[in-house]
Amino acid sequence: KSVVGRIMKMSKMNQEMSEDELKKLVETSQVKNAQSGITGLLISLNNTFIQYLEGEKENVKTLYGTIKNDSRHKNIEIQFEGVLESRMFSKWNMSLETATQSNIERLPQAYSSQYKKMLESVDGSGSNFGLRLIIYFYELKYKLYQAQ
């Protein structure tokens, strides 16, 4: 069984991006990510990017290096990095979600045991906000997408 590298980072947008600019960024990312076998999710929240990337470990590291040098990002912080046995977003080369106050209010405090383990492996307490948002969108959209 192959191991999947994953990384989640948060960063501030250097300047506010319109919905069209965000869409263009994601469309470009989708093409590049498909070529290097990377999947994931990009969440836009109040001029902040929360990004989850997964794929072959070296490819994920390379992409992270590219993002670090991208002038559209500043204050980049890795929330976690590690490995998984399987991908969460195997069908999404990069999906864009805009988080709203109502999404945030719907974030469950408790998760099923598989997510709880993932959350606790990140910060020990299971309170990682960015990862909770990633899981929320995964549950909300991706599982529905897979079922189609």
Side-chain angles (χ1 to χ4, degrees):
K1 206 176 216 184
S2 66
V3 173
V4 177
R6 63 186 177 134
I7 196 166
M8 190 185 99
K9 62 112 187 125
M10 289 175 97
S11 61
K12 289 283 181 201
M13 297 176 194
N14 232 344
Q15 60 197 47
E16 200 167 330
M17 293 178 81
S18 70
E19 200 64 33
D20 282 345
E21 289 171 313
L22 281 170
K23 280 185 180 138
K24 190 172 258 175
L25 170 70
V26 168
E27 284 167 8
T28 306
S29 298
Q30 286 171 334
V31 172
K32 289 179 180 172
N33 290 353
Q35 292 166 349
S36 54
I38 290 179
T39 54
L41 176 65
L42 176 66
I43 297 173
S44 158
L45 169 68
N46 302 333
N47 295 327
T48 299
F49 287 122
I50 300 169
Q51 190 166 21
Y52 177 89
L53 303 167
E54 59 191 11
E56 212 243 76
K57 211 170 170 183
E58 284 309 306
N59 292 352
V60 171
K61 273 189 176 159
T62 301
L63 177 57
Y64 177 71
T66 303
I67 291 168
K68 247 175 39 176
N69 295 317
D70 187 323
S71 61
R72 292 171 288 200
H73 301 265
K74 64 181 181 187
N75 304 341
I76 297 175
E77 285 178 37
I78 291 181
Q79 300 295 301
F80 71 85
E81 59 184 316
V83 293
L84 281 176
E85 285 183 13
S86 62
R87 293 177 189 243
M88 280 178 68
F89 298 101
S90 60
K91 292 194 174 70
W92 287 355
N93 291 110
M94 188 51 57
S95 179
L96 172 67
E97 297 291 348
T98 301
T100 61
Q101 195 56 44
S102 67
N103 296 145
I104 292 164
E105 285 162 9
R106 282 195 206 108
L107 283 181
Q109 291 304 310
Y111 283 94
S112 67
S113 58
Q114 76 181 91
Y115 297 127
K116 197 168 165 51
K117 226 177 358 194
M118 196 167 151
L119 282 161
E120 287 170 355
S121 75
V122 173
D123 67 3
S125 70
S127 66
N128 185 291
F129 174 73
L131 186 55
R132 285 172 55 219
L133 256 182
I134 299 278
I135 292 169
Y136 170 80
F137 283 114
Y138 173 76
E139 291 281 288
L140 189 72
K141 302 272 174 65
Y142 185 69
K143 279 193 162 176
L144 286 174
Y145 177 83
Q146 273 188 321
Q148 289 173 357

